[in-house]
């Protein structure tokens, strides 16, 4: 055997005899020497991680950020100017942002480690005819693998013996139900993993039965290994906010350099001392930079993340919280996310009529509907012996099932087979409880279910003797029946009624219900229990949509977000659930095999018309995400299995399931849903939009303030006036604006219209042209008012120091008023003006500090202030208040599109 790369995708099609020859093995297994040779040749059966990035390099990567570099410069400048407190504060902000980014990137590297943990620690094999247990890493191609219920499979293998064998492959294929396995070769080389019933795969588990298989691939050549390779090739993309803030940082850096140059040139032209004008220029340049931006972003994200926890979403990458708000497409798994992952009996067919059952999940609460009529089942459970067709059907369904329904920690759960659980819950909804029925009709014997027979029969004692109950495939059960139960008692089952029942079964199956027939036989024994039975009815069940998912999907529609279902389930099952949820917009359904036939361009051309991807493999999910991203979409992708990890990592927002999700999926994702509920994703999107809105509020406010400050200084310079502020006053205004007030805007309550707007364009920048115009209006008006005040006070014959002090106070007050105006760029300042209590407290605190700066002699010298008279206060306050109506007018113009393109 030269290598193990035996076109693994075709192993399921090769006759077993040829496979044994190719792998140079036999039923007795490999010799110990040959196994050792193959391990040396192929390497141990383990996943190999790509070269790791060192922790130091990850830490240094955090400094490749323009804003961080600018702030480091601001720290040095502040220290040079003697402002140690401000320098320390900025440095702490930088340190916090860098450490946070490092932790997030370090965590993102752990997905491969989690994948390794899913490998089987031990494997039972046959070598030299002897059954032995070996470490999973010692497994080699050609080994004979012995499989038993509960085993985790250690390698990809082809079955040559399967006895009632079922495997749980949800983590790999996305198939929600345990898959029945057999040894038959399959003709289609392109059949999906979930349909390769003669194969078992590394990392999956044996649900029931036993079997034997010959190992065909190990380590990185397994399907698990392919996922590990995909994970290593996927890079985590930067969030739109990170990219936009980088661009903003570069523009601010250019602005700062331009300001320093202009101020120095003007100062030299006016024969001012070079060192004085340089210090002043640097102080003004520092004022341009919003030092609190990293802190505001981090606090906005951190508070948003805390709110998300309260809404059952846990963020692993902090920066991704804001990206949620830009989401244009949510690619959602079906099972457990859009549905409850709890099998529920939805429809019964009995006595020639369909009865619908309401209620979803395992909670025994619901109604029985015959058309629009609610059936009164309250009296049914009061019967000592079931007499009507509905009670007989439900009673039989519960008695022939082994599962149990329990309430644990306030939640209803099933122990045993989910299909049987659905039947037991349906009976309980009518008052027939499993434990009471078992006491009334003790089971004395059974004929267990087998894949060959496709049925199960149990025998019970009753007051009328021994009675048998059976359930199974409709065509199988019908063959055993000679009578049927009707509203008028038992009647002969004629050919016409048989066809009616089979047509009802086909109709239910078309609605993607799993259909079981229920029958009984009185005077039964093991020999005759499955003969001459009475047909009681059909029960159709499925995993129903979550009730809240429908509302969440409708919210997505109003918010301009498209929802695509991506599942490993059968296309018909996916289509039925999608129709219930209103997901089929264009009607496009594509299977994994069809997707395999598309090239990248075809997929990109068709992606906007496809609503469902069914029977997909891991690489298919990756292609779907990549195609959507190429079309400019911001993609949120949900998943719980190992197979989802590459796509979760590739997506702009990977969303893992907290309850059913594997550690691999959680480590690859940016967010984990604590309740596995689709509606929690939509709530998280709303929170993400709120986070961005608050960051935008902060930036608009601070930059408008900075425009006012710079415009004031530049205007005075061009008018030939003295500088209206000292370097210390500029830094104080900057600190007051960028301090508590700015941070308070980061926690501003979210607006109620967040999910009635379309997603913002992720590459359009944080600030729209209309918002920039609003900032300019606020900044220019602030400049004009303060220049006028400064000029008027000077012309009135008062000292320069007093003119500067009054201008300084007016500028501070204007910025306080602006903080309230910029809480919304759409709504009036009078709309819930004091809803942000943190902003109210910040303004009160800053006003107290301002009064101290003005009246405390100790502070008057460094800040060049004086005791203002009542007249001075009236002048300053009136000048400051003018900014609010101007901004209100600008908002009105913005709302009508007169200030340029909006968000």
């Amino acid at each position: 055997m030269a290598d193990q790369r035996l076109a693994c995708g075709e192993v399921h099609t090769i006759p077993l005899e040829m496979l044994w020859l190719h792998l140079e093995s036999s039923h007795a297994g490999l010799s110990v020497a040959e196994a050792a040779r193959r391990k040396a040749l192929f390497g141990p059966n383990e996943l190999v991680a790509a070269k790791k990035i060192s922790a130091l390099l990850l830490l240094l990567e955090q400094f490749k950020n323009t804003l961080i570099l600018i702030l480091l410069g601001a720290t040095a400048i502040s220290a040079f100017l003697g402002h140690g407190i401000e320098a320390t504060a900025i440095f702490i902000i930088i340190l916090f942002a860098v450490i946070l980014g490092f932790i997030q990137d370090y965590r993102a590297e752990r997905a491969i480690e989690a994948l390794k943990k899913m490998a089987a620690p031990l494997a039972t094999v046959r070598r030299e005819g002897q059954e032995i247990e070996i470490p999973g890493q010692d497994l080699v191609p050609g080994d004979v693998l012995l499989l038993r219920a509960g085993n985790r499979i250690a390698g990809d293998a082809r079955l040559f013996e399967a006895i009632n064998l079922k495997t749980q492959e949800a983590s790999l294929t996305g198939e929600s139900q345990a898959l029945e396995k057999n040894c038959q070769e399959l003709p289609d080389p392109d059949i999906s993993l979930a349909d390769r019933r003669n194969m078992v795969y590394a990392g999956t588990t044996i649900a029931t039965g036993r079997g034997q298989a010959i190992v065909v691939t190990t380590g990185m050549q397994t399907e698990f290994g392919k996922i590990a390779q995909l994970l290593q090739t996927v890079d985590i993309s930067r969030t739109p906010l990170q990219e936009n803030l980088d661009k903003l940082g570069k523009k601010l850096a250019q602005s700062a350099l331009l300001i320093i140059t202009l101020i120095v040139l003007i100062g030299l032209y006016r024969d001012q001392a070079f060192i004085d004008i340089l210090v002043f220029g640097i102080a003004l340049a520092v004022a341009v930079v919003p030092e609190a931006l990293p802190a505001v972003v981090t606090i906005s994200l951190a508070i948003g993340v805390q709110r998300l926890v309260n809404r059952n979403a846990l963020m692993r990458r902090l920066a991704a919280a804001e990206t949620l708000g830009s989401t244009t497409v949510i690619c959602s798994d079906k099972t457990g996310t859009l549905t409850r992952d709890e099998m529920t009996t939805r429809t019964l067919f009995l006595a020639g009529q369909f009865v619908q059952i309401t209620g979803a999940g395992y909670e025994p609460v619901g109604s029985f509907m015959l058309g629009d009529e609610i059936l009164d089942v309250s009296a049914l459970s009061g019967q000592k012996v079931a007499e009507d067709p509905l009670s007989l059907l439900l009673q039989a369904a519960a008695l022939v099932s082994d599962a149990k329904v329990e309430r644990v920690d306030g939640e209803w759960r099933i122990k045993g087979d989910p299909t049987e659980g659905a039947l037991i819950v349906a009976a309980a909804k009518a008052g027939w409880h499993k434990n009471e029925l078992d006491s009334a009709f003790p089971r004395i014997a059974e004929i267990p279910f087998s894949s060959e027979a496709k049925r199960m029969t149990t025998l019970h004692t009753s007051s009328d003797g021994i009675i048998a109950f059976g359930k199974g495939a409709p065509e199988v059960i019908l063959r055993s029946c000679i009578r049927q139960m009707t509203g008028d008692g038992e009647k002969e089952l004629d050919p016409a009624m048989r066809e009616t029942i089979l047509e009802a079964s086909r109709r239910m199956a078309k609605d993607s219900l799993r259909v079981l027939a229920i029958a009984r036989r009185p005077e039964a024994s093991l020999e005759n229990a499955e003969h001459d039975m009475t047909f009681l009815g059909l029960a159709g069940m499925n995993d129903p949509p979550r009730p809240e998912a429908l509302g969440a999907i409708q919210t997505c529609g109003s918010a301009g977000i498209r929802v695509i279902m991506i599942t490993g389930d059968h296309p018909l099952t996916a289509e039925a659930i999608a129709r219930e949820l209103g997901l089929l917009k264009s009607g496009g359904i594509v299977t994994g095999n069809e997707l395999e036939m598309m090239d990248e361009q075809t997929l990109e051309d068709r992606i906007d018309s496809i609503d469902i991807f069914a029977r997909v493999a891991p690489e298919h999910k990756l292609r779907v995400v990549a195609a959507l991203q190429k079309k400019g979409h911001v993609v949120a992708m949900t998943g719980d299995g190992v197979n989802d990890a590459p796509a979760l990592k590739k997506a702009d927002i990977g969303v893992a399931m907290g309850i059913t999700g594997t550690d691999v999926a959680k480590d690859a994702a940016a967010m984990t849903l604590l309740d596995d509920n689709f509606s929690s994703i939509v709530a998280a999107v709303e929170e993400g939009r709120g986070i961005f809105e608050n960051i935008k509020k902060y930036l608009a406010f601070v930059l408008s303030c900075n425009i006012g400050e710079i415009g004031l200084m530049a205007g005075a310079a061009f008018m030939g006036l003295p500088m209206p502020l000292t370097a210390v006053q500029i830094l104080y205004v900057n600190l007051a604006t960028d301090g508590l007030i700015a941070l308070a805007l980061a926690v501003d309550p979210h607006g109620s219209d967040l999910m009635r707007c379309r997603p913002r364009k992720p590459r359009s920048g944080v600030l729209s042209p209309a918002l920039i115009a609003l900032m300019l209006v606020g900044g220019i008006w602030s400049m004009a008012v303060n220049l006028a005040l400064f000029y008027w006070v000077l012309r009135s014959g008062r000292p320069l120091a007093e003119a500067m002090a009054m201008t300084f106070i007016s500028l501070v007050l204007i910025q306080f008023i602006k903080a309230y105006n910029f809480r919304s760029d759409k709504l009036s300042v009078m709309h819930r003006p004091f809803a942000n209590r943190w902003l109210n407290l910040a303004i009160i605190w800053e006003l107290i500090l301002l009064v101290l700066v003005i009246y405390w002699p100790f502070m008057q010298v460094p800040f060049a202030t004086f005791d203002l008279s009542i007249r001075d206060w009236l002048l300053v306050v009136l000048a400051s208040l003018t900014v609010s109506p101007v901004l209100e007018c600008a908002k009105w113009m913005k709302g009508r599109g007169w200030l340029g393109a909006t968000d």
Side-chain angles (χ1 to χ4, degrees):
M1 180 183 176
D3 63 48
Q4 63 168 314
R5 290 173 297 178
L6 169 70
C8 188
E10 300 176 4
V11 169
H12 59 281
T13 66
I14 299 173
L16 278 167
E17 296 78 12
M18 289 180 61
L19 192 59
W20 286 111
L21 286 172
H22 177 85
L23 293 169
E24 299 173 13
S25 186
S26 69
H27 286 70
L30 302 173
S31 67
V32 174
E34 177 62 15
R37 186 188 74 81
R38 293 190 184 191
K39 183 180 178 183
L41 177 64
F42 302 130
N45 178 32
E46 61 185 16
L47 302 183
V48 180
K51 186 178 179 182
K52 288 185 177 180
I53 302 173
S54 72
L56 180 60
L57 280 176
L58 279 178
L59 184 63
L60 293 175
E61 281 288 319
Q62 309 309 312
F63 290 94
K64 289 184 179 179
N65 179 307
T66 308
L67 197 60
I68 293 291
L69 294 175
I70 292 173
L71 291 179
L72 283 171
T75 304
I77 291 165
S78 295
F80 171 75
L81 293 173
H83 299 283
I85 293 175
E86 189 178 48
T88 303
I90 298 172
F91 185 72
I92 289 171
I93 289 168
I94 294 169
L95 202 61
F96 187 49
V98 165
I99 290 171
L100 198 63
F102 168 74
I103 290 169
Q104 291 158 18
D105 288 349
Y106 184 75
R107 280 180 174 175
E109 296 297 314
R110 292 175 50 200
I112 298 294
E113 295 301 318
L115 196 57
K116 284 184 177 182
K117 291 177 184 176
M118 291 194 70
L122 296 170
T124 303
V125 299
R126 186 182 296 119
R127 287 183 180 171
E128 297 180 349
Q130 300 294 314
E131 183 179 320
I132 60 172
E133 198 172 67
I134 62 171
Q137 65 176 14
D138 290 345
L139 193 73
V140 295
D143 261 326
V144 172
L145 192 59
L146 307 181
L147 307 169
R148 297 183 180 89
N151 286 168
R152 186 179 290 278
I153 301 165
D156 289 1
R158 169 77 180 272
L159 288 163
F160 63 87
E161 179 185 86
I163 300 171
N164 294 328
L165 187 68
K166 288 185 179 181
T167 61
Q168 182 52 258
E169 297 179 358
S171 64
L172 180 66
T173 65
E175 178 62 56
S176 55
Q177 301 296 316
L179 298 176
E180 196 173 309
K181 297 290 182 176
N182 57 53
C183 305
Q184 300 168 9
E185 66 187 68
L186 300 165
D188 185 358
D190 298 321
I191 197 169
S192 67
L193 286 181
D195 292 321
R196 295 178 190 176
R197 299 303 175 93
N198 59 8
M199 296 288 297
V200 291
Y201 296 103
T204 63
T205 56
I206 305 297
T208 61
R210 57 190 174 86
Q212 297 184 64
I214 179 170
V215 176
V216 293
T217 53
T218 58
M220 295 298 283
Q221 299 299 321
T222 63
E223 296 298 327
F224 239 43
K226 291 176 185 177
I227 292 169
Q229 292 175 51
L230 284 174
L231 273 172
Q232 292 167 6
T233 59
V234 175
D235 292 323
I236 297 174
S237 57
R238 290 173 62 75
T239 69
L241 181 65
Q242 288 171 324
E243 292 179 355
N244 287 328
L245 290 181
D246 267 359
K247 289 177 185 175
L248 179 64
K250 288 173 183 175
K251 289 177 182 176
L252 289 174
Q254 293 165 358
S255 301
L257 287 172
L258 180 63
I259 287 163
I260 292 173
T261 303
L262 285 174
I263 293 295
V264 169
L265 288 175
I266 290 170
L268 292 174
Y269 177 76
R270 294 169 62 177
D271 294 327
Q272 290 180 269
F274 177 75
I275 190 64
D276 291 341
I277 199 65
L278 178 63
V279 169
F280 188 84
I282 289 172
L284 193 57
V286 169
V288 173
V289 180
E291 293 95 334
L293 181 56
V296 166
V297 171
T298 301
I299 288 170
S300 294
L301 293 173
I303 290 171
V305 164
Q306 185 57 49
R307 286 174 177 160
L308 285 170
V309 170
N310 296 332
R311 301 179 84 166
N312 295 309
L314 180 66
M315 297 303 302
R316 292 183 58 81
R317 287 165 50 203
L318 202 59
E322 175 276 332
T323 311
L324 279 163
S326 309
T327 301
T328 58
V329 177
I330 299 175
C331 295
S332 178
D333 193 13
K334 177 185 74 69
T335 306
T337 309
L338 292 170
T339 66
R340 296 177 63 96
D341 197 16
E342 295 178 357
M343 288 293 283
T344 304
T345 303
R346 309 284 300 279
T347 304
L348 301 175
F349 179 77
L350 65 153
Q353 296 177 308
F354 285 101
V355 174
Q356 307 298 327
I357 306 177
T358 65
Y362 297 145
E363 184 178 7
V365 176
S367 302
F368 292 78
M369 307 285 296
L370 182 60
D372 295 329
E373 179 190 353
I374 299 177
L375 299 179
D376 182 10
V377 296
S378 59
L380 297 184
S381 58
Q383 307 170 34
K384 290 187 178 179
V385 178
E387 297 171 354
D388 65 286
L390 178 58
S391 293
L392 285 168
L393 172 59
L394 295 172
Q395 186 185 79
L399 285 168
V400 76
S401 299
D402 292 323
K404 292 182 179 179
V405 182
E406 297 178 339
R407 192 168 190 175
V408 181
D409 298 330
E411 292 186 5
W412 291 93
R413 297 179 185 174
I414 289 291
K415 277 193 174 180
D417 184 83
T419 302
E420 292 189 339
L423 294 173
I424 292 168
V425 171
K429 287 177 180 179
W432 295 103
H433 297 286
K434 171 72 171 166
N435 56 343
E436 295 172 2
L437 289 171
D438 285 340
S439 299
F441 301 91
R443 186 185 297 188
I444 57 172
E446 68 179 76
I447 302 172
F449 174 87
S450 70
S451 55
E452 291 77 21
K454 295 185 179 179
R455 67 185 300 164
M456 174 184 178
T457 306
T458 59
L459 284 79
H460 304 256
T461 59
S462 72
S463 57
D464 296 325
I466 297 174
I467 186 168
F469 298 106
K471 72 172 189 290
E475 64 277 10
V476 174
I477 295 295
L478 270 177
R479 282 199 295 266
S480 300
C481 295
I482 60 172
R483 293 177 296 277
Q484 62 167 320
M485 182 58 65
T486 71
D488 299 321
E490 291 190 18
K491 290 187 177 181
E492 182 184 351
L493 186 60
D494 57 36
M497 195 59 207
R498 285 180 188 273
E499 183 54 36
T500 299
I501 293 168
L502 288 173
E503 177 57 32
S505 173
R506 287 190 288 268
R507 177 177 164 183
M508 292 164 73
K510 192 175 180 181
D511 289 335
S512 195
L513 296 174
R514 183 179 181 185
V515 185
L516 291 177
I518 313 293
R520 72 169 186 170
R521 186 225 157 104
E523 301 176 5
S525 65
L526 279 173
E527 290 72 26
N528 67 14
E530 296 182 340
H531 302 282
D532 300 336
M533 302 185 82
T534 298
F535 176 79
L536 299 178
L538 301 173
M541 61 215 72
N542 68 3
D543 178 15
R546 290 178 177 270
E548 62 273 25
L550 178 59
I553 288 169
Q554 290 171 345
T555 300
C556 284
S558 63
I561 300 168
R562 185 175 165 222
V563 181
I564 298 175
M565 182 189 291
I566 304 185
T567 178
D569 272 350
H570 194 279
L572 290 177
T573 306
E575 181 182 0
I577 296 298
R579 286 193 188 282
E580 280 197 66
L581 290 170
L583 276 180
L584 278 176
K585 305 294 185 185
S586 57
I589 303 173
V590 170
T591 65
N593 286 341
E594 291 169 340
L595 185 58
E596 195 72 45
M597 303 299 292
M598 295 184 194
D599 59 26
E600 299 306 320
Q601 189 57 51
T602 304
L603 178 58
E604 284 181 42
D605 292 342
R606 288 192 57 192
I607 194 76
D608 287 331
S609 63
I610 300 171
D611 297 317
I612 300 172
F613 290 91
R615 278 286 193 258
V616 291
E619 58 271 21
H620 297 152
K621 295 183 179 184
L622 205 56
R623 286 185 64 198
V624 170
V625 171
L628 286 166
Q629 288 175 330
K630 283 183 182 177
K631 298 273 291 205
H633 291 291
V634 175
V635 184
M637 167 78 188
T638 75
D640 57 1
V642 174
N643 62 326
D644 298 321
L648 289 174
K649 191 174 180 183
K650 172 70 175 172
D652 299 283
I653 294 289
V655 183
M657 303 297 109
I659 299 171
T660 60
T662 60
D663 287 343
V664 184
K666 292 174 187 176
D667 281 333
M671 182 174 85
T672 299
L673 295 184
L674 301 179
D675 60 353
D676 292 9
N677 194 332
F678 181 82
S679 63
S680 295
I681 304 173
V682 181
V685 169
E686 182 179 6
E687 195 62 49
R689 289 187 175 190
I691 290 169
F692 178 78
E693 283 297 309
N694 283 354
I695 292 170
K696 187 174 75 173
K697 287 174 193 176
Y698 160 78
L699 274 174
F701 163 65
V702 169
L703 294 179
S704 179
C705 291
N706 290 354
I707 290 168
E709 294 170 31
I710 295 162
L712 172 63
M713 306 306 292
F718 283 114
M719 288 172 65
L721 296 173
M723 285 300 168
L725 298 173
T726 67
V728 173
Q729 286 172 341
I730 290 172
L731 290 171
Y732 178 87
V733 171
N734 196 44
L735 187 60
T737 304
D738 262 14
L740 295 177
I741 295 174
L743 296 180
L745 285 175
V747 295
D748 202 51
H750 300 333
S752 59
D753 62 341
L754 283 176
M755 295 302 281
R756 292 196 292 271
C757 306
R758 296 192 63 79
R760 66 183 179 85
K761 294 178 182 178
R763 314 300 173 207
S764 62
V766 181
L767 306 172
S768 67
L771 187 57
I772 291 170
L774 189 65
M775 287 162 39
L776 286 169
V777 169
I780 291 169
W781 185 259
S782 172
M783 172 198 74
V785 167
N786 285 308
L787 262 179
L789 177 65
F790 180 64
Y791 181 76
W792 186 84
V793 175
L794 279 179
R795 289 294 301 270
S796 65
R798 298 180 68 171
L800 175 61
E802 290 188 9
M804 293 174 74
M806 290 178 69
T807 304
F808 162 64
I809 296 163
S810 171
L811 182 60
V812 172
L813 293 178
I814 282 176
Q815 317 230 86
F816 290 173
I817 294 166
K818 275 187 184 179
Y820 286 100
N821 281 97
F822 276 97
R823 284 191 57 237
S824 173
D825 60 337
K826 303 179 186 75
L827 300 175
S828 166
V829 70
M830 299 312 295
H831 177 76
R832 300 174 65 226
F834 303 112
N836 187 341
R837 63 190 182 96
W838 297 109
L839 178 60
N840 301 335
L841 291 172
I843 293 290
I844 291 168
W845 172 251
E846 292 294 347
L847 283 171
I848 291 169
L849 289 181
L850 182 61
V851 169
L852 289 175
V853 165
I854 295 169
Y855 291 106
W856 189 16
F858 179 75
M859 304 291 284
Q860 285 180 334
V861 175
F863 287 98
T865 56
F866 69 100
D867 293 349
L868 267 69
S869 65
I870 297 295
R871 183 173 175 274
D872 292 336
W873 270 115
L874 284 172
L875 182 63
V876 167
V877 169
L878 286 173
S880 305
L881 289 173
T882 59
V883 75
S884 191
V886 170
L887 282 171
E888 288 297 287
C889 181
K891 284 185 194 179
W892 182 83
M893 295 170 67
K894 176 179 178 289
R896 280 150 184 76
W898 297 352
L899 297 184
T902 56
D903 300 332

